[in-house]
């Protein structure tokens, strides 16, 4: 019931035959295999926590599986289990379907699946995915699941140019899948015919749960790796009279497993390119699609343009006609229509108003809210501050814990001294205030509306509306001053 209804949400309607339709009315569970060591990563960080586009590999896999709305998602963990559990504590708290099963020690993918299945209580179809293949599309998984019924096992396979290391799909004369042979086993047996097969096992499959439970109990470690291999259930299925239906991914990127840093970088590159293409297809102008990194979600209005080497992290929204200069890093930010972000800006946790001009070399830190037409220039840092419409800090300034009204002008070198060494204090600068260059505004204080502060002033007290306040020593000028003359060294 659950699966069939939710599937209608996918863009491509899935064609299910009558039998599948009835079977699909039952529940789906997902097992994610993620207990392996990931030795080839040569890293202390468990493989499934290695980041792809700013998120752990496993986060991509869980999100892809969760989109199917299964009754349960059981992630089998082992190596670095505590770290993995800790990294996903928040996700698990939000998604009651997600649980972890501990596989210790690890006796292979078949053993891992059996451990996962012990935690599956509510399922007639089980989908198995691996924690190291992060980019498989939910639509592909849905298609695979739709093939399963009590007489059909579904396997995701892919024809690849170089199948080295992968399990090979062995078909009979009629073209039906009869078994999977692991690369190592074919090698050991000197089985060149099998090694020549380019159709590989993605290790992503879906099966009738009850049958799989029984089959896993029959696995033996009679193979080159001395492990219980999930791939061996395929031969069992054919012997038991199940049909092996196969499905293919839309691209190799979808099923590329990550085993080392070289593959991780290659997949990152491929994924970034896919995202860049999708942005361009939605009308975004990219100066160079190979020089943009999106580590999260980037939503763009119309006619947005992005120059080279920009990094977007978390959730970033760019309004219509926004222009982003080269070498900007923008994280969790909303930038309204017609704003221009000049090169070399760092923006984090900020909102930028319509038509604002930021940078070059500006830093907007969390809690900064800039209204329309604000100008923030070079070497200006803004933290936890609000700036009203049309306010400007064009050069070399620090605004921290400050509330600026509209049309305020902050001179070069001016700072809000918000921190007394123990606590932070607030600076309020009301509408139409003009602060000269090189001022220190020692918080807490308020510069009332329309006030002017003379350059070089250090203020520790609030000022009255409309007042000119100057706090600097008067200049002393001595006429005809003779500078000392340099004494010649003997
Ligand atoms: C596996 C497949 C191979 C397929 C390839 C696709 C098997 C036996 N082989 O090989 O046919 O072509 O994936 O990428 O399934 N894991 C556990 N517990 C274990 C062992 C592994 O949880 O005891 C997990 C790993 O963390 C990993 C996944 O299972 O996420 C696959 O294991 P891995 O060792 O990477 O298998 P491959 O050699 O890549
Ligand atoms: Ca692998």
């Amino acid at each position: 019931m659950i699966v069939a209804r939710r599937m209608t949400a996918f863009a491509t309607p899935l064609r299910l035959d009558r039998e599948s339709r009835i079977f699909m009315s039952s529940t789906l569970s997902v097992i994610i295999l993620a207990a392996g060591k990931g030795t080839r990563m040569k890293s202390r960080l468990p493989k499934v926590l290695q980041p792809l586009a700013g998120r752990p590999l496993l986060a991509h896999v869980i999100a892809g599986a969760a989109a199917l709305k299964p009754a349960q998602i059981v992630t089998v963990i082992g190596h670095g289990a505590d770290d993995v559990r800790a990294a996903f504590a928040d996700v698990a708290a939000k998604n009651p379907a997600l649980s972890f099963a501990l596989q210790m020690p690890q006796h292979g993918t078949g053993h891992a699946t059996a451990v996962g299945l012990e935690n599956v209580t509510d399922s007639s179809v089980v989908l198995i995915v691996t924690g190291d293949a992060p980019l498989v599309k939910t639509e592909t998984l849905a298609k695979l699941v739709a093939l399963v019924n009590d007489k059909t096992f579904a396997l995701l396979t892919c024809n690849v140019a170089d199948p080295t290391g992968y399990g090979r799909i062995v078909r009979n004369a009629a073209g039906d899948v009869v078994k999977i042979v692991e690369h190592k086993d074919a090698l050991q047996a000197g089985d060149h015919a099998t090694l020549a097969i380019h159709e590989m096992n993605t290790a992503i499959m879906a099966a009738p749960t009850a049958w799989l439970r029984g089959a896993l109990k029959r696995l033996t470690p009679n193979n080159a790796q001395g492990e219980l291999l999930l791939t061996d259930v395929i031969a069992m299925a054919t012997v038991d009279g199940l049909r092996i239906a196969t499905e293919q991914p839309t691209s190799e990127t979808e099923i590329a497993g990550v085993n080392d840093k070289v593959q991780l970088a290659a997949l990152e590159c491929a994924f970034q390119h896919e995202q860049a293409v999708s942005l361009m297809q939605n009308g975004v102008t990219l100066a160079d699609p190979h020089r943009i990194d999106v580590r999260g979600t980037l939503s763009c209005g119309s006619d947005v343009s992005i120059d080279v080497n920009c990094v977007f992290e978390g959730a970033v929204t760019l309004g219509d006609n926004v222009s982003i200069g080269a070498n900007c890093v923008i994280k969790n930010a909303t930038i309204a229509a017609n704003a221009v972000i000049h090169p070399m800006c760092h923006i984090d946790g900020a909102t930028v108003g319509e038509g604002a001009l930021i940078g070059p070399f500006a830093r907007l830190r969390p809690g900064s809210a800039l209204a329309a037409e604000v100008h923030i220039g070079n070497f200006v840092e803004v933290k936890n501050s609000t700036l009203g419409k049309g306010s400007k800090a064009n050069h070399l300034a620090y605004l921290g814990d400050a509330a600026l009204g509209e049309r305020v002008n902050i001179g070069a070198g001016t700072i809000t001294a918000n921190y007394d060494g123990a606590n932070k204090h607030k600076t309020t600068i009301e509408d139409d205030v003009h602060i000269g260059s090189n001022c220190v505004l020692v918080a807490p204080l308020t510069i009332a509306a329309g006030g002017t502060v003379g350059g070089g002033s250090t203020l520790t007290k609030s000022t009255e509306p409309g007042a000119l306040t100057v706090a600097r020593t008067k200049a002393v000028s001595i006429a005809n001053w003779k500078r000392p003359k340099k004494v010649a060294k003997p």
Side-chain angles (χ1 to χ4, degrees), residues 33-36 40 47 76 103 106-109 112 130-132 165-167 180 182 200-203 225 229-231 257 259:
L33 307 181
R40 285 167 285 175
K47 174 155 88 169
V76 183
Q103 186 203 14
Q106 294 84 30
H107 290 308
T109 49
T130 66
D132 64 354
Y166 289 122
I180 296 175
E182 286 301 290
M200 55 75 88
N201 169 35
T202 64
Q225 303 184 68
L229 307 182
L230 175 61
T231 42
N259 296 309

Side-chain angles (χ1 to χ4, degrees), residues 55-193:
R55 293 196 299 155
L57 293 175
L58 185 56
H60 293 269
V61 180
I62 291 176
L68 291 169
K69 308 274 191 233
Q72 285 178 272
I73 301 173
V74 180
T75 303
V76 183
I77 53 175
H79 273 282
D82 291 343
D83 293 343
V84 177
R85 238 189 256 273
F88 288 89
D90 287 355
V91 181
K94 280 190 210 125
N95 187 349
L98 183 64
S99 66
F100 293 95
L102 191 64
Q103 186 203 14
M104 201 75 97
Q106 294 84 30
H107 290 308
T109 49
H111 175 234
T113 309
V115 169
L117 263 185
E118 283 168 22
N119 287 42
V120 170
T121 51
D122 179 16
S123 154
S124 52
V125 178
V126 63
L127 169 69
I128 299 150
V129 296
T130 66
D132 64 354
L135 297 183
V136 62
K137 290 189 164 55
T138 302
E139 289 83 345
T140 303
L141 297 178
K143 280 192 213 162
L144 199 67
V145 167
L147 293 172
V148 179
N149 59 45
D150 54 359
K151 285 271 167 277
T152 311
F153 186 108
L155 185 61
L156 190 70
T157 74
C158 188
N159 279 296
V160 293
D162 179 12
T164 309
Y166 289 122
R168 307 297 209 285
I169 307 296
V170 179
R171 293 177 184 266
N172 63 17
D176 298 326
V177 176
V178 290
K179 61 179 176 178
I180 296 175
V181 178
E182 286 301 290
H183 184 92
K184 279 188 187 153
D185 290 306
L187 211 57
Q188 207 172 58
D191 180 353
H192 297 290

Side-chain angles (χ1 to χ4, degrees), residues 166-476:
Y166 289 122
R168 307 297 209 285
I169 307 296
V170 179
R171 293 177 184 266
N172 63 17
D176 298 326
V177 176
V178 290
K179 61 179 176 178
I180 296 175
V181 178
E182 286 301 290
H183 184 92
K184 279 188 187 153
D185 290 306
L187 211 57
Q188 207 172 58
D191 180 353
H192 297 290
T194 298
L195 287 171
I197 297 171
H198 284 251
E199 188 181 8
M200 55 75 88
N201 169 35
T202 64
I204 296 170
M205 51 189 87
T209 310
W211 177 83
L212 186 66
R213 256 187 229 282
L216 290 171
K217 293 198 179 96
R218 291 185 268 150
L219 287 177
T220 58
N222 299 330
N223 51 66
Q225 303 184 68
E227 291 184 339
L228 302 177
L229 307 182
L230 175 61
T231 42
D232 286 349
V233 301
I234 306 299
M236 289 180 185
T238 53
V239 170
D240 288 358
L242 268 71
R243 188 174 73 94
I244 312 292
T246 57
E247 182 61 58
Q248 277 72 41
T250 52
S251 73
E252 270 189 45
T253 324
E254 264 200 71
I255 48 85
V258 173
N259 296 309
D260 59 27
K261 293 283 170 90
V262 177
Q263 289 173 335
L264 183 62
L267 202 60
E268 176 81 34
C269 197
F271 183 53
Q272 291 302 344
H273 192 65
E274 270 183 16
Q275 294 188 118
V277 168
S278 154
L279 285 169
M280 293 185 294
Q281 282 167 343
N282 285 301
V284 176
T285 301
L286 298 180
D288 182 351
H290 296 286
R291 285 185 286 166
I292 174 171
D293 286 85
V294 180
R295 300 172 190 156
T297 52
L298 173 60
S299 321
C300 296
S302 65
D303 297 288
V304 164
S305 78
I306 301 172
D307 208 335
V308 298
N309 296 333
C310 291
V311 178
F312 298 89
E313 295 176 1
V316 175
T317 303
L318 307 179
D320 295 346
N321 290 312
V322 163
S323 161
I324 310 285
N327 302 312
C328 289
V329 177
I330 302 179
K331 180 178 178 182
N332 295 325
T334 299
I335 297 174
N338 303 316
V340 176
I341 313 295
H342 290 295
M344 270 75 74
C345 288
H346 192 280
I347 299 177
D348 178 7
T351 57
V352 174
E354 221 173 301
L357 304 179
I358 311 296
F361 295 102
R363 181 173 184 206
L364 306 182
R365 291 171 54 197
S368 300
L370 281 46
E373 290 154 42
V374 161
H375 293 185
I376 297 293
N378 39 229
F379 307 105
V380 173
E381 175 180 348
V382 183
K383 186 217 76 169
N384 190 34
S385 294
T386 55
L387 277 77
K389 190 175 178 191
S391 285
K392 294 173 186 173
N394 272 327
H395 337 261
L396 305 155
Y398 172 64
L399 300 170
D401 304 307
L404 277 65
E406 299 187 350
R407 299 172 300 278
V408 168
N409 197 316
I410 303 288
T414 285
I415 68 156
T416 54
N418 57 331
Y419 185 50
D420 60 13
N423 297 299
K424 303 275 169 64
H425 301 282
K426 189 171 175 183
T427 302
T428 303
I429 304 175
E430 295 180 352
D431 293 348
D432 300 300
V433 162
H434 185 104
I435 313 256
S437 295
N438 232 29
C439 292
V440 180
L441 307 174
V442 183
L445 86 175
T446 297
I447 311 296
T452 303
V453 177
S457 295
T458 295
L459 297 192
T460 56
K461 289 199 185 80
S462 297
T463 64
E464 293 300 314
L468 165 66
T469 310
V470 184
R472 60 185 179 225
T473 49
K474 282 221 161 94
V476 176

